[in-house]
Amino acid sequence: MSNLSFIEEIEKLKINQIIPNIINSIPNRSLQVKYGIRYIDMSDKLTPIALKEKPTIEYLLKQDESEKNQYFTLILVSIDEPSQSNRLEGEFKQWILVNIHGNNISKSEELVKYIQPLPLIGTGLHRYVFILCKQPSKLDFIGEFKIPFSMEKRKDWNSEQFIKKWNLTVEGINYFECEYDDSVEKLLTELIDSKEKTIQINK
């Protein structure tokens, strides 16, 4: 589990300008992220090769059982494209799960397939932000793109606009930092060569 209290987490999000520069909302609960056997603390420095497999996500529901049939969305974005000092390319979608039933991540739909961080060589540390949102109901996300193992439709995104569009409520935030290692070039080549097709969701 994280070594920070919830109040310390909020302060760290403000100090590191995740709030309000990326998300203009204060979260209501802790969002725990675990890669392998390691829980991450906010602003942990990690390597891309250690993040090859998707993480385990944990969060608590309200004890009164009012959220047992609640649906959630989980977003993971790179916010420093192409670098922290030159954020001109919007956000990059790393992973999006929608219609998560309660806190059972296995009961969800993968809108954007997970890929490990891809910070380019010489661009320093990049911040990667997890955002957990409460949905107003189960949603069909018509008009959005279902993105497979591909680079298509991942770039130049804005999570705050997506949250407002679908009337989502920010519930939890976590983040880590990451910079280039040799695994990035290999994955970029695989993504560029991928023949998997992005599909727009229609009725």
Side-chain angles (χ1 to χ4, degrees):
M1 303 290 285
S2 171
N3 293 318
L4 301 175
S5 71
F6 185 62
I7 293 174
E8 288 172 329
E9 288 179 353
I10 300 300
E11 287 305 308
K12 202 154 194 177
L13 289 167
K14 291 178 178 178
I15 289 168
N16 289 283
Q17 301 181 329
I18 307 299
I19 298 173
N21 290 9
I22 306 303
I23 297 297
N24 194 24
S25 302
I26 302 296
N28 297 312
R29 67 189 84 197
S30 289
L31 177 62
Q32 302 294 328
V33 179
K34 183 170 70 169
Y35 278 97
I37 62 171
R38 175 181 177 177
Y39 284 95
I40 66 169
D41 280 326
M42 289 188 184
S43 77
D44 271 358
K45 310 297 190 291
L46 306 172
T47 59
I49 189 63
L51 309 173
K52 185 176 181 180
E53 303 299 328
K54 65 181 68 172
T56 300
I57 305 297
E58 299 173 3
Y59 53 91
L60 297 177
L61 301 180
K62 292 180 180 178
Q63 292 183 347
D64 61 7
E65 296 192 352
S66 61
E67 293 181 328
K68 67 179 182 179
N69 289 315
Q70 176 68 52
Y71 289 95
F72 292 86
T73 289
L74 178 74
I75 298 165
L76 171 60
V77 286
S78 169
I79 63 172
D80 299 316
E81 300 296 328
S83 67
Q84 280 201 44
S85 61
N86 188 29
R87 296 179 57 246
L88 297 178
E89 297 179 6
E91 298 167 24
F92 182 92
K93 291 179 275 190
Q94 303 285 153
W95 191 31
I96 300 178
L97 297 177
V98 298
N99 292 324
I100 303 167
H101 189 221
N103 56 3
N104 189 343
I105 300 298
S106 66
K107 292 184 177 180
S108 64
E109 301 165 29
E110 195 168 51
L111 189 64
V112 178
K113 188 175 181 67
Y114 177 84
I115 58 172
Q116 73 173 57
L118 297 167
L120 298 181
I121 191 169
T123 58
L125 286 164
H126 291 233
R127 292 167 294 171
Y128 294 82
V129 182
F130 291 89
I131 309 162
L132 177 72
C133 299
K134 185 182 286 188
Q135 299 177 192
S137 62
K138 190 173 185 179
L139 299 173
D140 52 25
F141 291 95
I142 288 173
E144 299 296 336
F145 289 90
K146 192 172 177 63
I147 302 174
F149 184 78
S150 166
M151 289 289 281
E152 189 179 5
K153 300 291 184 182
R154 289 182 182 262
K155 297 180 179 181
D156 197 24
W157 199 59
N158 186 294
S159 51
E160 186 78 8
Q161 288 179 7
F162 179 84
I163 288 166
K164 289 178 180 177
K165 176 181 178 180
W166 294 105
N167 196 26
L168 307 179
T169 303
V170 174
E171 288 290 319
I173 304 174
N174 206 333
Y175 83 101
F176 62 87
E177 295 184 77
C178 189
E179 64 182 325
Y180 175 89
D181 70 16
D182 290 344
S183 69
V184 171
E185 290 297 332
K186 182 177 184 295
L187 183 59
L188 276 173
T189 299
E190 292 173 357
L191 284 164
I192 292 167
D193 292 343
S194 173
K195 299 296 190 283
E196 295 185 38
K197 299 296 183 183
T198 295
I199 300 170
Q200 189 168 26
I201 300 171
N202 297 307
K203 283 186 178 179

